[in-house]
Amino acid sequence: MKLKAAADIGIDANHIRLPKTATEDEVLWNIEAVNDNPAVHGLIVQLPLDSINQIDTEKVTNAVSPDKDVDGLSSINAGKLARGDLRSCFIPCTPNGCMELIKQTGVSVSGKNVVVIGRSKIVGAPMHDLLLWNHATVTSCHSKTLDLAAQVGRADILVVGAGKAELVKGEWVKKGAVVIDCGINHIPDSSKPAGKRVVGDVHYLSAKERAGYITPVPGGVGPMTVVMLMENTVKSAKRFLQMYKPGKWNISYRKLKPLKPQPSDVQISCSYPRNPIGQLAKEVGLLSKEVEPYGRTRLKVRVEVLKRLDKQPNGKYVLVTGITPTPLGEGQSTITLGLAQALGAHLNINAFASIQQPSPLSSFGIKGCAVGGGYSQIIPMEELAEFKITKTFLKMQHYLKIPLKIYVYLKCHVRKVMGGFITCLQKLGIEKSDPLTLTEQEIRRFIRLDINPDARTVCISTKVIIVVMPFIAFYEYVNEHVWQDFASLKNEIMAILSLSSSAEDLQNRLAKVVVAISRYEELITTEDLVSVCDVKMFVCLKPNVCLYGTPVFVHTSPSADIAYGNASVVADKIALKLVGPQGFVVTETLHSADADMEKFFNIKCRSSGLQPDVVVLVATVRALKMHGGGPGITAGFPLPKQYSEENLKLLEKGCAHLKGQVEKARTYGLPVVVAVNTFSSDTKAELELVCSQARQAGVFDAVLCTNWSDGGAGALALAQAVQKAAELPSQFHYLYELELPVIKKIQKVAQNIYGVKDVELSPKAKEKLAFYMKQGFGNFPVCIMKTQSSLGNDPEKKIVPTDFTLPIIDVQVFVGAGILSLLTVTVSFHLLHGLFYLIISKIYFEWKLRTNLN
């Protein structure tokens, strides 16, 4: 009857038939599978359970998700009904059907004397609660009630579900009463073909003579129960669509009460109450099958969510960058998180932050972990600071001494070269498929791929096994270039992960990673070295809860000194879909506007196809004084007095640097909002001067931010300015077209962003660039690895350097990432600086490994 009724009204009903041998675990597993399926809106368990194995019925009914419990039998729905929470629970179908039948008589339940006979969880108990909350005076009776006839005689409305055939006699019924008979019983009847007939709990023939209304059995309550089941299923589907439809989130932001004096970041993080991360995922519209929880505070989001939200319009895309910072940092991540807090908790707008994963590796030798600070930080901060870089494993093995016959048999168990090996043979011009027909020279070429050791791209040497992880590489022997090679490979793989928009895209990019060059100047990729690379990429996002409960995606950490420094494309894409067309996604660059903003636009935005709406430029009085000629700042040492005392002359001189960064940010046709991150030592006059100078430079607005000490409330003015700026028509454009000659692209970036007079390539750089162009990589975007400590090429020159030549000493192509990287003189030292941390990490890991083995 249920399946037929569902088909009649267009509900897709599926009957899962389990064998009589099904165990309790098997039943529970099937229920869990349906709970996790977003395409199913209702689930009922047909009772009684008729397995030959003992099964706990209560445990089974409570295993059904309350959101899909259209039978209304779980303890949660029963509890809500008992407490009168009728709007948020599913009412059991039989009592709900009884109420509908009573309603059809025209008799009002309110104020009536109602007797309910029966106390089962399916009919009697919920019927009592339902009538009570509809203002009836309810008396519950059962088969053990003394003087049952007298109780029945006082009832204006009688509901019977005792499970005893014809328990209630007609003479007991009050004249004109409404009688609802829920019983289904069988009694002997020789006149029937089956030798029995169906009767209710009320003697129908005698009762109908006295009752005003009475339901027949069969054909009374039974069909109404099925109808109510259909109605509950439709309600469930509507609730699902309401919860997950694009629109305003229903996040419960916790009220923040900043303390004075302000506690440490760790103390703030530990003291803040944390909602379960699963609750947050549900509030922002993620389905249970789209997330993988990691405890109560972190989870991964599956990339498949993009398919479900494909037709959902994107939200507004905000980039937070900054002026060239001091070695202490200027609070760029803090402003990023504070802006998201203000948009969400204070302006009631859907808002997501998307930041790069913290990494203990240095970038340009200085950048470390950054998860915000004060009352604008990601929590739990103590866990996030221990994040490992997204696990990336790529094993490449170069078999030089293994006979071809054994190698093929070990790998394939057949006498044919299969998969990628056929491709390798074809690239070598060998049109054969049987390995035993290869000549000795062909075998040598096949095994070695004719690698030219003098044209090394990535360390591929005799007996080398590379295992790329966050910091570790093992080698049977290491040459002088190995650490630099490893750093390059590690960063390319991280950049690939960051730029990939799907699992297929990731796989294709990894296959293109160039690891060597043949003697015939052909590029050898990872796909050439092994038939299938052992790749285990966790392409999952890890959102964390920021203060106020603001959602944050934390994913990937490509270093800006070799690749580019931003959060992943897939994190931004998912966030933009989740917030909807009226929402905001706030992301950031790793370094200053000149060093990283250009890469964000010309590399990341090209790869993702996303276009930002607003640029937020973070500045501080402290940093501008440094650019105005203030004394050097060294981390760990006291600040010179010039930074703690008012000095308008020094500050005004440094504002030339701010104007230079604003000019570069406006190059892309986007509105720029300057966020002045304030410190306790800043004076009112200094802050007014910075805002005034910023407005003179043509920014949309310049505002003060105090969210480090005040939380989202301290970035409210910034959020309002960003909201207004995002309403302007988009005029975004790239700095250059990919079809331009490489040298023209380099000059465009160098002259428009760095302010150089000319670019000078070393002979080595010219030679390598010519080779890469010959290979067809001339249409890649360029990634210039310049110091982020100055607008120019010299980290010691502040303000706005001009009339200088930018030297390019080396060129490296990252085919998988689709980037042409150019190395300047000033960065070479920083690379070595970063390699120091790699060496330390390797020593530590080997010690840890030996300790664990022992």
Side-chain angles (χ1 to χ4, degrees), residues 577-590:
K577 292 295 184 183
L578 289 173
V579 298
Q582 303 305 316
F584 283 79
V585 173
V586 185
T587 189
E588 65 172 350
T589 63
L590 187 62

Side-chain angles (χ1 to χ4, degrees), residues 684-746:
K684 182 179 179 181
E686 288 177 329
L687 295 172
E688 289 177 350
L689 176 61
V690 174
C691 291
S692 173
Q693 292 285 310
R695 293 188 182 102
Q696 290 178 27
V699 302
F700 180 84
D701 201 355
V703 296
L704 305 180
C705 295
T706 60
N707 53 286
W708 180 82
S709 56
D710 298 327
L716 184 56
L718 174 62
Q720 292 168 335
V722 166
Q723 187 180 17
K724 292 177 182 177
E727 295 173 357
L728 298 176
S730 176
Q731 297 180 353
F732 173 76
H733 56 82
Y734 299 117
L735 184 63
Y736 55 81
E737 298 299 324
L738 292 179
E739 293 74 20
L740 282 177
V742 174
I743 192 63
K744 292 290 186 183
K745 287 185 281 191
I746 298 172

Side-chain angles (χ1 to χ4, degrees), residues 494-810:
M494 186 58 75
I496 286 172
L497 177 61
S498 180
L499 291 172
S500 298
S501 56
S502 66
E504 295 77 13
D505 186 21
L506 172 67
Q507 192 72 21
N508 291 335
R509 287 175 179 270
L510 285 172
K512 295 176 182 177
V513 174
V514 176
V515 295
I517 300 172
S518 75
R519 298 180 188 277
Y520 299 97
E521 293 192 343
E522 295 175 340
L523 299 181
I524 298 173
T525 66
T526 54
E527 190 176 38
D528 296 325
L529 293 181
V530 287
S531 57
V532 180
C533 288
D534 181 10
V535 180
K536 302 175 183 177
M537 302 290 285
F538 297 88
V539 198
C540 298
L541 310 177
K542 300 178 180 177
N544 277 257
V545 186
C546 182
L547 288 177
Y548 292 139
T550 304
V552 182
F553 274 150
V554 185
H555 194 219
T556 71
S557 55
S559 296
D561 50 2
I562 295 181
Y564 78 105
N566 298 122
S568 71
V569 164
V570 74
D572 291 357
K573 281 189 170 183
I574 293 176
L576 286 165
K577 292 295 184 183
L578 289 173
V579 298
Q582 303 305 316
F584 283 79
V585 173
V586 185
T587 189
E588 65 172 350
T589 63
L590 187 62
H591 295 305
S592 58
D594 61 297
D596 272 6
M597 182 181 65
E598 178 271 323
K599 299 172 186 175
F600 175 87
F601 291 140
N602 291 311
I603 297 177
K604 182 177 179 180
C605 289
R606 284 186 195 274
S607 179
S608 66
L610 301 174
Q611 293 190 359
D613 298 281
V614 183
V615 173
V616 174
L617 186 67
V618 179
T620 64
V621 170
R622 179 179 67 192
L624 291 175
K625 284 182 177 179
M626 180 189 74
H627 292 295
I633 295 176
T634 304
F637 290 86
L639 281 174
K641 66 177 183 179
Q642 288 88 338
Y643 297 103
S644 57
E645 299 176 354
E646 183 175 290
N647 192 327
L648 298 179
K649 184 178 180 180
L650 189 65
L651 179 60
E652 185 173 10
K653 188 178 178 182
C655 282
H657 175 90
L658 173 62
K659 292 180 179 179
Q661 293 285 26
V662 168
E663 181 183 349
K664 298 176 194 324
R666 295 183 63 196
T667 301
Y668 300 91
L670 296 174
V672 179
V673 177
V674 169
V676 183
N677 191 18
T678 63
F679 290 80
S680 58
S681 59
D682 299 341
T683 68
K684 182 179 179 181
E686 288 177 329
L687 295 172
E688 289 177 350
L689 176 61
V690 174
C691 291
S692 173
Q693 292 285 310
R695 293 188 182 102
Q696 290 178 27
V699 302
F700 180 84
D701 201 355
V703 296
L704 305 180
C705 295
T706 60
N707 53 286
W708 180 82
S709 56
D710 298 327
L716 184 56
L718 174 62
Q720 292 168 335
V722 166
Q723 187 180 17
K724 292 177 182 177
E727 295 173 357
L728 298 176
S730 176
Q731 297 180 353
F732 173 76
H733 56 82
Y734 299 117
L735 184 63
Y736 55 81
E737 298 299 324
L738 292 179
E739 293 74 20
L740 282 177
V742 174
I743 192 63
K744 292 290 186 183
K745 287 185 281 191
I746 298 172
Q747 289 173 344
K748 278 264 189 180
V749 174
Q751 293 172 355
N752 287 275
I753 303 302
Y754 306 148
V756 307
K757 181 179 65 175
D758 201 1
V759 175
E760 182 180 346
L761 275 70
S762 69
K764 176 184 176 183
K766 289 180 180 178
E767 181 184 355
K768 293 182 72 173
L769 184 58
F771 173 74
Y772 293 142
M773 292 177 67
K774 180 181 176 182
Q775 296 293 330
F777 304 137
N779 285 343
F780 282 0
V782 295
C783 179
I784 300 178
M785 295 176 281
K786 181 194 76 72
T787 178
Q788 56 85 54
S789 299
S790 167
L791 281 176
N793 189 48
D794 187 347
E796 301 303 322
K797 289 185 178 181
K798 306 301 180 183
I799 312 180
V800 185
T802 57
D803 196 29
F804 68 96
T805 299
L806 182 70
I808 304 295
I809 64 168
D810 200 1

Side-chain angles (χ1 to χ4, degrees), residues 23 26 87 145 159 219 229 268 285 321 407 410 438 445 500 565 583 604 608 612 620 639 652 719 725 829:
T23 63
E26 290 172 336
R87 291 188 177 183
T145 300
V159 181
L229 177 63
I268 293 173
T321 186
Y407 176 76
L410 284 174
L438 298 180
R445 291 180 61 205
S500 298
K604 182 177 179 180
S608 66
T620 64
L639 281 174
E652 185 173 10
F829 170 77

